[in-house]
Amino acid sequence: MAEFASYFAGFTGDPAFSALVCAWVFMFGACVASFLNVCIWRLPRGESVSRPASHCPRCNAPIPWYLNIPILSWLVLRGRCAACGGRISIRYPLVETLGGVLFLAAWAKYAFPAGFAMDPAGSPAVVPALWLAFSGLILGTFVDIDHMYLPDRVTLGGVAAGFALSCAVPELQHETLWWRGGMFSAIGAVSGSVALWAVGFVFSKILKRDAMGFGDVKLVAAAGAFFGPMASFFVVVAGSMAGGLAGIVLLAAGKARIGGFREIPFGPYLAAAAVAWAFWGPPLVDAYVDFALSLSAP
Ligand SMILES: [Zn+2]
């Protein structure tokens, strides 16, 4: 915590100014996530994300801007529509909070000198790229939870965006040359999707049914395009472990039937693994390698 606070203080030497900047970054993330809430609802329904303006899904009353402020409006209205009193899901402010926290965390880790100095190839230029990646992961996660599929616009769009950004900001791949950034992005996209496809193939044979959607394979390709080959490998392993564990827990709790793995969306676990990589990936791999070496040492 003290280390976290020192990033802020180290930015300008004025903690009050740093705190203000951080509040703005959090609010920006919450506003983006507020728009993502709209996309999560409208994209799978084939509706335009810009028109009509925000309205209550129950009574269709338009929501004026002053009642559409992320997190705060929901709290002020105590989770009810101002026009009809219908319940507004707590998921809206929670997604907005998640957006604010992730945007601020990316900023805190990479935008401050103390943050990127820890990473030899770190650069504040990766922050907007991380914001875009996190936005796509939030969108994919909640569409997958609601509808059990991942839109191509998120997954294939993520592959294209990850590749373009890795060329423009090679630091995203811990590189300094544009072509090396693009090369590792492409290797990450291909190796991750092939690895997950292989995992899905094996499980499909064991369960004698489709164990995984092709959308999951495309999501790992997007994670690999943004974060590289090590990341896509990590996302496949950690995501499969977390998803498999959740499947076993739900099975034990009677919430899923045997062979009912298709009933559990896999995207959220892959997305969570990708976010974990963005913040703690390389240290996690180092810790694992040290652990493995300590086991093999005499
Ligand atoms: Zn209403």
Side-chain angles (χ1 to χ4, degrees):
M1 197 60 212
E3 200 184 27
F4 197 67
S6 76
Y7 295 168
F8 300 173
F11 192 45
T12 59
D14 179 359
F17 179 75
S18 296
L20 188 70
V21 169
C22 288
W24 276 109
V25 171
F26 178 87
M27 207 53 199
F28 176 59
C31 286
V32 169
S34 183
F35 175 66
L36 293 174
N37 271 325
V38 175
C39 298
I40 291 161
W41 177 266
R42 294 189 185 181
L43 212 60
R45 291 172 173 80
E47 298 173 10
S48 160
V49 294
S50 56
R51 271 158 207 279
S54 291
H55 55 91
C56 168
R58 210 179 116 187
C59 70
N60 274 323
I63 302 170
W65 67 267
Y66 55 87
L67 292 179
N68 207 1
I69 295 164
I71 308 165
L72 294 178
S73 289
W74 191 92
L75 293 174
V76 169
L77 294 169
R78 294 203 200 89
R80 292 190 178 277
C81 167
C84 70
R87 281 207 158 280
I88 303 165
S89 170
I90 192 170
R91 206 175 82 180
Y92 288 93
L94 288 181
V95 167
E96 287 157 1
T97 306
L98 178 64
V101 167
L102 289 180
F103 273 46
L104 180 56
W107 177 268
K109 186 164 167 71
Y110 292 104
F112 290 87
F116 64 79
M118 295 191 303
D119 181 345
S123 158
V126 305
V127 172
L130 289 174
W131 287 348
L132 187 71
F134 293 159
S135 299
L137 292 170
I138 290 174
L139 181 54
T141 290
F142 288 96
V143 170
D144 202 16
I145 288 171
D146 289 349
H147 302 280
M148 287 295 302
Y149 89 103
L150 291 158
D152 278 350
R153 272 203 249 182
V154 173
T155 56
L156 297 183
V159 173
F163 180 74
L165 284 167
S166 294
C167 294
V169 188
E171 288 85 355
L172 202 52
Q173 303 286 346
H174 303 276
E175 293 292 334
T176 48
L177 298 169
W178 73 268
W179 63 270
R180 286 182 66 90
M183 181 179 73
F184 284 111
S185 170
I187 295 172
V190 172
S191 63
S193 44
V194 167
L196 188 67
W197 180 84
V199 170
F201 183 77
V202 169
F203 273 92
S204 297
K205 288 285 168 209
I206 295 170
L207 297 169
K208 295 194 170 61
R209 53 177 291 165
D210 281 349
M212 198 180 296
F214 201 62
D216 299 320
V217 171
K218 289 184 273 191
L219 184 66
V220 170
F226 265 93
F227 302 119
M230 290 275 277
S232 58
F233 185 71
F234 174 84
V235 167
V236 169
V237 173
S240 303
M241 274 164 50
L245 214 64
I248 290 164
V249 169
L250 288 172
L251 213 58
K255 300 253 183 208
R257 283 165 288 112
I258 298 218
F261 280 101
R262 202 65 195 88
E263 263 65 62
I264 303 162
F266 192 34
Y269 301 98
L270 298 172
V275 170
W277 175 269
F279 291 111
W280 307 292
L284 275 175
V285 169
D286 287 348
Y288 177 78
V289 169
D290 286 349
F291 175 71
L293 286 177
S294 76
L295 289 183
S296 62

